[in-house]
Amino acid sequence: ALSNQISASLQRASLYSKSQEHLRVMSTIHAVSRVIISSLDLETIFATVVKELKESFGYTHVSIYLLKDDYLQLGAQVGYPLEMVIYKIHISQGVTGRTIKSKTVHFIPDTSKEPSFLRADDNLTSEICVPLLKEGNVLGTLNVESDENRILTEEDVELLTTLSSPIALAVDNARLHAQVKEMAM
């Protein structure tokens, strides 16, 4: 009877832990969605997304790049040493370039084994690069990199893939708004 009670308690604790994680994911998606609805400013959107990902999930390094012609230009970042920040990446370079070309998520569990990895911090050990897609068009990338203190997993890949759609929608809306504003001027 005691072992049954212990087993039931462990199952309840596991379910509680999973529900807390789902709640955290939903809260972050809600926060990102709230920004999408309330802002048409790219800088605000980018800054909010990188801040939310760092605060909610403990990611040590987060960046968003926007595709302009054949270059990815940094929209916002958090966690990188300022002297190593990469502001502009050609689409032929690095994991981000490969992500743009293939329009698929790239998960690099060990960056030391990836020859095309662009190092923006000497302590980085893994990377997830997610394309921001709107109707099959790549608008940019969402990059999360980590050091040995925060191991990236397939669960992180799923989370970032889920978040990429509302982020892409916000980017597209802000770009269209800027175009209309420019045309009106």
Side-chain angles (χ1 to χ4, degrees), residues 1-12:
L2 180 61
S3 79
N4 285 341
Q5 287 180 348
I6 291 172
S7 175
S9 293
L10 290 173
Q11 285 178 336
R12 282 192 298 275

Side-chain angles (χ1 to χ4, degrees), residues 29 32-33 36 130-135 139 142 158-173:
I29 291 171
V32 169
S33 297
I36 290 168
V130 182
L132 300 176
L133 298 169
K134 175 76 173 24
E135 297 175 358
L139 305 176
L142 172 63
E158 290 175 27
L159 169 70
L160 296 170
T161 301
T162 301
L163 284 171
S164 69
S165 291
I167 294 168
L169 180 63
V171 168
D172 192 50
N173 287 343

Side-chain angles (χ1 to χ4, degrees), residues 3-184:
S3 79
N4 285 341
Q5 287 180 348
I6 291 172
S7 175
S9 293
L10 290 173
Q11 285 178 336
R12 282 192 298 275
S14 175
L15 287 173
Y16 178 76
S17 175
K18 286 179 184 176
S19 68
Q20 290 297 342
E21 179 62 24
H22 288 303
L23 179 61
R24 189 168 54 143
V25 168
M26 294 305 294
S27 295
T28 301
I29 291 171
H30 181 271
V32 169
S33 297
R34 198 172 52 239
V35 170
I36 290 168
I37 293 167
S38 66
S39 179
L40 290 172
D41 178 59
L42 276 175
E43 289 180 23
T44 302
I45 293 166
F46 290 158
T48 302
V49 168
V50 297
K51 179 182 167 234
E52 285 292 330
L53 289 174
K54 180 176 175 52
E55 289 177 1
S56 297
F57 300 102
Y59 294 135
T60 57
H61 300 75
V62 182
S63 61
I64 294 181
Y65 284 86
L66 190 60
L67 183 62
K68 290 184 181 175
D69 300 319
D70 286 343
Y71 288 91
L72 287 160
Q73 298 194 0
L74 183 65
Q77 65 85 24
V78 64
Y80 299 93
L82 290 179
E83 67 276 3
M84 294 184 77
V85 172
I86 301 171
Y87 292 95
K88 193 173 184 180
I89 302 170
H90 192 270
I91 60 170
S92 65
Q93 296 177 303
V95 176
T96 52
R98 200 166 61 225
T99 299
I100 292 292
K101 289 178 184 175
S102 68
K103 299 181 182 181
T104 60
V105 176
H106 283 83
F107 176 33
I108 312 299
D110 185 356
T111 57
S112 68
K113 296 178 181 175
E114 178 59 47
S116 67
F117 179 69
L118 301 173
R119 191 163 297 281
D121 188 334
D122 293 329
N123 300 316
L124 298 177
T125 59
S126 61
E127 175 182 22
I128 299 171
C129 188
V130 182
L132 300 176
L133 298 169
K134 175 76 173 24
E135 297 175 358
N137 296 318
V138 180
L139 305 176
T141 61
L142 172 63
N143 304 296
V144 172
E145 298 171 314
S146 70
D147 56 25
E148 65 277 349
N149 295 321
R150 172 63 167 89
I151 306 298
L152 296 176
T153 66
E154 288 294 333
E155 288 177 357
D156 295 307
V157 172
E158 290 175 27
L159 169 70
L160 296 170
T161 301
T162 301
L163 284 171
S164 69
S165 291
I167 294 168
L169 180 63
V171 168
D172 192 50
N173 287 343
R175 287 173 67 179
L176 290 173
H177 182 263
Q179 286 175 354
V180 168
K181 192 174 177 182
E182 186 177 308
M183 289 171 63

